[in-house]
Amino acid sequence: MVKGLGALKVSLTKNGYFKIAEVIKKHPRDEILKNINGVYDGINLDAAQIKNMLSFDEDSGEFPEVWDEIRTLGDKAIEALVFISIIYSHQKIINYLKDSNIAEMRGCLKRDAEDQKTYTNLVYSMHELDLCPLDKGSDEVYYDLSPLFLLEIGPFVKKIIRLKLEKTGWSEPKADDYFTRDFYQQCESFELHKALGISIAQFEQWLEGDKVEKEKPPIIEIPDTELETSAKLVAALATKPFVILAGTTGTGKTKTIRELAISTNPVSGQPDFNHAFIPVEAGWTDGRHLLGYKTPFGRNGENYVSTKLIDILLRANYPGHENIPFFVILDEMNLSHVEMYFSKFLAVLETAADKVPEPILAKEELELIYKSGTTDPVQTEYVLEAIKQKGLYLRKNIFFIGTVNMDETTYMFSPKVLDRAFVIQYSPPKPSSVGEAFSIIEEDKLTAKVNELAEYLAVTKGSDLSNQNDEFLDVLHNALGRFMFGPRTTNEVRRYFKSCEEIEAKFQTSASFREDDSVKDRAALQKILPKLNGSRDTLMPVLNNLKALCEKRNLTEAAAKVEAMKKEVTSNGFANYFSAI
């Protein structure tokens, strides 16, 4: 008589043995064998196969009581217990599932890894139990067994597995028996837990009656404490989800945005939950550094190598996270050509508010991430939700902030990039105004409750436009000559005016922030002037016009920037917004 795991060998001469669950739902254990051959349409099962699978006792002529007991828990529990009984009825199936594991509770069945009947039966039963989150492939099927562990069937599973172990020759050790393994030791020795993709500790927990849950996304709690941040930064972010922070090293660009991100972080213990800090490296020439890429060398063939940025976008797309602002901080953004590695984002940003937005990653690419088996349980849940949404999108709660230093090691921004961004320049403060710790200047301070500011940025910021300053925009437009701006810029400046109105109504800001001339000054400085660049002959007529306009309209900061550009172009023969300080 065969002993050991090899004793578990059920006949696989017929397909569809999972259908025995339908018989058990309708009949007690003493009536099972009377109803497996043609009594019900589509159910024609082999008696020897069913006896072996359900641990029939030839001596008593009965199936074990567990098949009556499980009926009290309902149809889904019966199906799940039948599925477990199938797995542990044959060493071949146990090993097949062990070899199919790709992550905790997850795996991939491949047709060519086992005989046709085993593959077909397992695929059928898994689909009946809703254990396959992706569309069924012809030659492979991905499965997730986690729903099984939420059912209260653990103690019934233990009874089934005990019967299977007894068939292998194992018996419960007696008090003075030091050489026989106990139940869980024997299960671990046979690696029965690995067929389900869980640890032996989880296996024992489940069989003793507890639910074994995958790790879930963290609990979201946005504090209602007060924070201080930059009013200019908030106004720009509320208008456009792409902001460039420019200035010399040490002026507080990175610190300002990181403190805002950390302050609005809703998960204690995960300080980077709502932001990704990504240092840009010289030599980036395409989007794979941010978006990841496909590779044919995954464990299960082609898969997708993900990135920190994709992880953040997955969190931002997850249902329930809509009221949390997520920040992508691209440090030293212009160490490489931005339009090369960031081009897809620049394009998709313009469709984000459409009824049918373009995805940043398509469903097929998300499925490859899932199939790779490299994601943890929480990431897996995020990926599956994105697959349900048929793509990964740049939602309203996602913001991109690039920090830049302009010197001989960096690249200038193209008009395409600047046309899609707001630019805030940080000038070095006078030493006498610098304290021991970094602080925001009084004129730029915004004070708000964290939860209210987070809600405003992520959800309630409006898309309305203010047309009250169109006369000013017309005059500014005419003064720019060849640098005249288009409709996109017009509407973004109009939206900026509206955002400043909303911020004034909702939060505490300085009096100077709210003044009409100050709002126009910032709009010109952050959205219009950054695209100015060129030679003396190109720039001087435009700069002279702008200088007169700025002085007439009391746009003091814009006037100072124009004057700095005039000095730069006069002395060097060439100037741009970023080179003139």
Side-chain angles (χ1 to χ4, degrees):
M1 183 177 181
V2 177
K3 294 294 182 182
L5 205 56
L8 301 180
K9 188 175 181 181
V10 67
S11 170
L12 298 175
T13 56
K14 286 189 176 182
N15 291 327
Y17 46 75
F18 182 73
K19 293 178 181 179
I20 187 62
E22 297 303 314
V23 176
I24 297 172
K25 292 175 189 177
K26 296 178 174 66
H27 298 279
R29 58 191 172 115
D30 60 348
E31 296 179 8
I32 289 176
L33 293 179
K34 302 174 187 176
N35 292 279
I36 62 172
N37 288 309
V39 175
Y40 298 98
D41 288 343
I43 300 179
N44 187 14
L45 303 173
D46 180 78
Q49 181 187 51
I50 295 305
K51 285 182 176 181
N52 201 343
M53 195 175 75
L54 301 186
S55 300
F56 186 80
D57 186 339
E58 293 291 352
D59 293 334
S60 67
E62 292 182 325
F63 287 105
E65 291 181 357
V66 68
W67 296 113
D68 281 341
E69 296 167 349
I70 194 63
R71 297 175 70 218
T72 62
L73 295 186
D75 291 355
K76 188 59 71 174
I78 293 171
E79 293 172 357
L81 193 62
V82 167
F83 177 65
I84 294 295
S85 190
I86 290 170
I87 292 173
Y88 292 111
S89 293
H90 203 306
Q91 181 183 22
K92 179 188 289 188
I93 300 177
I94 295 171
N95 291 335
Y96 186 24
L97 286 175
K98 282 167 52 180
D99 295 339
S100 299
N101 285 337
I102 59 173
E104 184 184 47
M105 304 182 191
R106 294 166 49 204
C108 175
L109 295 177
K110 291 185 175 293
R111 186 184 295 274
D112 59 7
E114 193 47 81
D115 63 74
Q116 180 71 26
K117 291 184 176 64
T118 303
Y119 175 83
T120 302
N121 276 294
L122 283 177
V123 168
Y124 173 77
S125 55
M126 285 178 173
H127 271 281
E128 289 295 303
L129 281 164
D130 297 321
L131 301 178
C132 302
L134 303 185
D135 295 336
K136 182 171 64 174
S138 58
D139 296 313
E140 64 180 21
V141 171
Y142 287 81
Y143 62 86
D144 180 352
L145 302 182
S146 58
L148 293 178
F149 304 108
L150 300 179
L151 299 171
E152 298 177 352
I153 63 171
F156 300 99
V157 172
K158 184 176 182 181
K159 292 180 179 182
I160 290 294
I161 292 179
R162 182 180 292 277
L163 292 169
K164 304 299 182 185
L165 288 182
E166 289 173 355
K167 186 172 182 179
T168 70
W170 171 87
S171 60
E172 192 74 57
K174 296 180 172 52
D176 58 350
D177 187 349
Y178 302 106
F179 302 102
T180 303
R181 299 185 181 98
D182 66 22
F183 175 80
Y184 288 111
Q185 289 172 335
Q186 190 62 52
C187 289
E188 184 174 15
S189 175
F190 284 152
E191 297 184 331
L192 300 186
H193 58 291
K194 292 185 178 180
L196 303 178
I198 57 177
S199 69
I200 189 63
Q202 290 173 310
F203 191 71
E204 181 173 351
Q205 183 182 5
W206 186 42
L207 269 55
E208 293 304 319
D210 296 324
K211 293 179 182 179
V212 179
E213 299 185 19
K214 291 189 297 185
E215 187 181 355
K216 294 288 186 181
I219 296 172
I220 302 301
E221 293 181 354
I222 303 177
D224 61 358
T225 54
E226 279 196 349
L227 67 79
E228 286 185 349
T229 188
S230 165
K232 289 191 295 187
L233 177 59
V234 171
L237 291 171
T239 306
K240 187 76 176 182
F242 178 30
V243 176
I244 295 172
L245 307 182
T248 56
T249 300
T251 50
K253 306 181 300 295
T254 302
K255 189 172 183 63
T256 301
I257 184 58
R258 288 196 76 176
E259 285 192 348
L260 175 59
I262 292 169
S263 296
T264 54
N265 175 35
V267 179
S268 61
Q270 281 186 248
D272 60 350
F273 176 82
N274 69 330
H275 74 277
F277 181 76
I278 303 174
V280 174
E281 298 178 12
W284 284 10
T285 57
D286 55 53
R288 61 185 169 148
H289 307 284
L290 296 178
L291 287 171
Y293 54 91
K294 294 180 183 179
T295 172
F297 304 114
R299 174 177 174 178
N300 295 295
E302 186 179 41
N303 74 342
Y304 199 93
V305 178
S306 189
T307 65
K308 183 190 294 186
L309 173 54
I310 296 302
D311 290 344
I312 282 290
L313 296 184
L314 286 167
R315 291 177 203 162
N317 275 244
Y318 188 70
H321 292 178
E322 297 90 348
N323 63 336
I324 304 164
F326 287 83
F327 303 95
V328 179
I329 304 168
L330 300 170
D331 195 43
E332 304 287 358
M333 188 179 194
N334 58 334
L335 279 178
S336 290
H337 287 291
V338 176
E339 59 271 20
M340 296 179 72
Y341 71 83
F342 201 60
S343 59
K344 186 165 185 178
F345 291 92
L346 293 174
V348 174
L349 273 169
E350 299 309 309
T351 76
D354 294 350
K355 289 184 178 179
V356 186
E358 287 292 321
I360 202 72
L361 282 188
K363 178 184 175 186
E364 293 74 17
E365 293 163 318
L366 293 166
E367 288 180 347
L368 286 179
I369 294 176
Y370 176 86
K371 291 176 180 180
S372 71
T374 58
T375 55
D376 62 36
V378 174
Q379 287 175 303
T380 299
E381 186 158 342
Y382 293 149
V383 171
L384 288 174
E385 284 294 337
I387 290 171
K388 289 179 185 178
Q389 298 170 23
K390 302 188 183 305
L392 187 64
Y393 299 93
L394 296 184
R395 302 295 186 190
K396 190 178 178 181
N397 60 338
I398 298 168
F399 303 89
F400 292 89
I401 301 92
T403 68
V404 301
N405 297 316
M406 300 304 300
D407 56 41
E408 65 277 1
T409 68
T410 61
Y411 294 96
M412 183 57 193
F413 292 105
S414 69
K416 177 181 178 180
V417 174
L418 293 173
D419 194 46
R420 289 162 169 78
F422 267 69
V423 178
I424 300 175
Q425 188 158 26
Y426 288 70
S427 299
K430 293 180 180 179
S432 58
S433 66
V434 177
E436 293 183 7
F438 171 78
S439 63
I440 297 167
I441 61 173
E442 287 297 324
E443 296 78 21
D444 189 32
K445 277 186 181 178
L446 179 149
T447 304
K449 292 288 186 68
V450 173
N451 56 340
E452 293 175 358
L453 181 59
E455 180 82 9
Y456 172 69
L457 284 175
V459 181
T460 60
K461 64 178 184 290
S463 57
D464 295 338
L465 311 178
S466 172
N467 300 319
Q468 296 178 0
N469 296 298
D470 278 5
E471 178 271 335
F472 164 71
L473 291 179
D474 284 344
V475 174
L476 186 57
H477 185 269
N478 293 334
L480 285 166
R482 62 173 292 185
F483 295 100
M484 289 186 295
F485 49 85
R488 177 192 289 122
T489 297
T490 296
N491 284 328
E492 287 182 359
V493 174
R494 287 170 171 169
R495 189 173 294 114
Y496 182 79
F497 292 146
K498 190 66 176 179
S499 296
C500 290
E501 290 178 20
E502 293 172 347
I503 289 169
E504 178 185 353
K506 289 178 177 290
F507 310 115
Q508 181 181 338
T509 58
S510 68
S512 61
F513 178 85
R514 302 190 292 270
E515 292 172 355
D516 186 57
D517 288 345
S518 179
V519 176
K520 293 175 182 175
D521 197 6
R522 293 195 304 273
L525 192 66
Q526 296 176 22
K527 191 61 188 176
I528 307 300
L529 300 186
K531 285 186 282 186
L532 297 181
N533 73 93
S535 64
R536 182 185 294 110
D537 291 342
T538 300
L539 280 182
M540 281 306 290
V542 175
L543 294 175
N544 286 330
N545 290 338
L546 287 173
K547 183 69 182 296
L549 172 61
C550 291
E551 290 177 346
K552 181 179 180 181
R553 298 284 181 145
N554 196 30
L555 309 181
T556 55
E557 290 190 45
K561 171 58 74 172
V562 170
E563 181 61 27
M565 291 183 72
K566 287 181 65 177
K567 291 179 180 179
E568 182 82 7
V569 77
T570 300
S571 61
N572 295 330
F574 184 91
N576 62 56
Y577 174 92
F578 298 93
S579 64
I581 300 176

